[in-house]
Amino acid sequence: MPAPTPTPRKFLGRLSLPERTYLSDALRTETVGGVLLLVAAIAALIWANTPLSGSYGSVRAFHVGPAALGLDLSVQHWAADGLLAVFFFVAGIELKRELVAGELRDPKAAALPVIAALSGMAVPALVYVLVNKVGGGSLEGWAVPVATDIAFALAVLAVLGTSLPSALRAFLLTLAVVDDLFAILIIAIFFTSELNFVALAGAAIGLAVFWLLLRKGVRGWYVYVPLALIIWGLMYNSGVHATIAGVAMGLMLRCTRNEGESHSPGEHIEHLVRPLSAGLAVPLFALFSAGVSVSGAALGEVFTRPETLGVVLGLVVGKTIGIFGGTWLAARFTRAELNEDLAWPDVFAVAALAGIGFTVSLLIGELAFTSDPVLTDEVKAAVLTGSLIAAVFSGVLLKLRVRTYRALYEEEERDEDQDGVPDVYEQDDPGYHLRMAALYEAKAAEHRKLAEHAGAAREDDDGPA
């Protein structure tokens, strides 16, 4: 008897209801944060390119903090090392949740987005290296175009008025989560200076205490916040980039739900901290990092200097080709079938949207060229230029399919029986059809009653006449 043919895995299929609910809540906050990020970036550009530019530089360079603890840092430094630790803390929780309860928990299901994300990081780096090998530029910025900024991408969607189906939004979020993981590893491995092993050991002990308190069920922000600040300070003084402390603490939180829990501790803390990250930490980082010269000469150099051209082409070309090519090849080799409601051009459009690399790209640009402030600003201008081109390019592609997306989105959101669960998730439930039949009967009875009242009113009007 021949073996049964295995059922092809569905790619970009419908999410489970809990996953869709979590995704909607998370992306709603990120979208608002993305709009604030755009506002902060525009404000930084205006501030740095007007007669007030001197004050912008002065504020950015102003030092504050306890020098005795090695933390007498500039405002720009505090934004990059301090505020972004909050961003990476949330990224750590996202990654943990994806690994234990989300799209990455099943290795077979995770293969496609992971391969897509890895190829979407490798190809931009390769593009950067090739451009700089040919042009004789510096290879130190190879990691600048590798990361996707999910908040910026969602802000672009909000501005365009494009509501992507949940499967495409989940694919974009998973890409960004995997991007963040490997960007963290890149920062830890390639941008760590001389190590202070005493401070590093202290940070490790602090993380062990953090983990032990979590396992013992100790609660109270007044315990964890001071401990987190101590761990962050020790990590900063160790020579390892301080944002790694945020990631490590995020990964320690429990993100699976016990019986009777509506949310895991990790999901609860993420719900509390994400608005702080998206609404304050990241926009402030953008305000003090995105202020670069946008004169005609500066923009011209973006497309002539190999380091900056490599960043632009890495974001726009490398990201798109890497993610789309990796996804297509992985689907072919795993025999995954694309959701029949979508098409490969939809994947291509999302791949182009992932070319928006803002927050982490700016951070890596600062770390890669720290000894050359002029080149640092030029690379930042290249990040802004590449992200803008990717936003416009992907926006055009997404607009071509906006009617399809809107129809799919509305179908996912439809809840005619108003029970809080979208109808598309209930159609296989016999109780759903009984509820819908009762609902339609109630509506029909209401219409009949209104018609009877209308008829009676007409008779009353005709009577006296």
Side-chain angles (χ1 to χ4, degrees), residues 78-89 243 281-282 285 359-360 363:
W78 275 111
D81 289 78
L83 292 177
L84 281 194
V86 179
F87 167 79
F88 279 108
F89 175 68
T243 54
V282 175
F285 168 75
T359 304
V360 177
L363 175 61

Side-chain angles (χ1 to χ4, degrees), residues 12 15 20 23-24 27 31 150 153-158 160-173 175 342 345-347 349-351 353-354 394-395 397-413:
L12 295 179
L15 301 178
R20 177 189 173 280
L23 179 76
S24 298
L27 295 189
T31 300
I150 183 67
L154 292 171
V156 170
L157 293 176
L160 293 174
T162 302
S163 298
L164 291 183
S166 58
L168 285 177
R169 286 180 285 160
F171 182 58
L172 182 62
L173 178 61
L175 287 175
L342 299 170
D346 300 317
V347 180
V350 171
L353 185 65
S394 61
L397 296 176
L398 293 169
K399 275 295 185 182
L400 295 175
R401 295 270 290 169
V402 69
R403 290 185 180 178
T404 300
Y405 299 149
R406 185 177 293 120
L408 292 173
Y409 181 79
E410 290 175 353
E411 178 65 17
E412 290 178 355
E413 295 293 318

Side-chain angles (χ1 to χ4, degrees), residues 197-456:
F197 288 100
V198 174
L200 187 59
I205 293 171
L207 288 170
V209 172
F210 189 89
W211 179 85
L212 186 62
L213 292 174
L214 288 173
R215 291 300 171 271
K216 293 294 184 181
V218 176
R219 298 188 177 187
W221 65 267
Y222 45 84
V223 174
Y224 290 102
V225 171
L227 179 58
L229 291 174
I230 293 171
I231 294 170
W232 176 87
L234 289 167
M235 189 69 77
Y236 175 82
N237 282 285
S238 74
V240 178
H241 200 269
T243 54
I244 304 301
V247 178
M249 287 183 278
L251 286 170
M252 290 181 180
L253 295 175
R254 176 169 63 82
C255 292
T256 52
R257 301 177 186 180
N258 291 336
E259 187 176 351
E261 288 184 335
S262 57
H263 300 286
S264 67
E267 289 172 324
H268 177 66
I269 293 172
E270 181 189 7
H271 180 73
L272 295 175
V273 179
R274 185 185 287 276
L276 176 64
S277 170
L280 182 66
V282 175
L284 281 177
F285 168 75
L287 180 63
F288 293 114
S289 292
V292 296
S293 173
V294 291
S295 64
L299 292 176
E301 288 182 1
V302 166
F303 296 98
T304 56
R305 186 160 183 165
E307 292 89 350
T308 51
L309 181 61
V311 170
V312 172
L313 292 179
L315 289 171
V316 178
V317 179
K319 271 289 183 183
T320 305
I321 294 176
I323 292 174
F324 179 78
T327 305
W328 187 82
L329 288 173
R332 288 293 301 270
F333 283 110
T334 59
R335 296 184 179 180
E337 286 187 356
L338 185 65
N339 179 2
E340 59 274 5
D341 293 326
L342 299 170
W344 282 108
D346 300 317
V347 180
F348 187 83
V350 171
L353 185 65
I356 299 174
F358 191 78
T359 304
V360 177
S361 294
L362 290 176
L363 175 61
I364 294 178
E366 290 182 358
L367 297 174
F369 300 105
T370 185
S371 60
D372 190 342
V374 174
L375 183 53
T376 298
D377 280 351
E378 291 175 349
V379 167
K380 287 182 179 180
V383 170
L384 295 173
T385 303
S387 297
L388 178 60
I389 294 172
V392 173
F393 179 50
S394 61
V396 171
L397 296 176
L398 293 169
K399 275 295 185 182
L400 295 175
R401 295 270 290 169
V402 69
R403 290 185 180 178
T404 300
Y405 299 149
R406 185 177 293 120
L408 292 173
Y409 181 79
E410 290 175 353
E411 178 65 17
E412 290 178 355
E413 295 293 318
R414 186 164 53 86
D415 182 18
E416 292 194 11
D417 57 355
Q418 298 182 349
D419 63 348
V421 178
D423 297 340
V424 70
Y425 288 94
E426 300 179 301
Q427 290 175 357
D428 296 330
D429 176 16
Y432 164 76
H433 297 287
L434 293 174
R435 290 196 303 275
M436 292 304 295
L439 177 64
Y440 290 138
E441 177 57 33
K443 287 184 177 180
E446 184 179 351
H447 286 305
R448 287 195 298 269
K449 190 173 182 180
L450 289 172
E452 291 172 359
H453 281 303

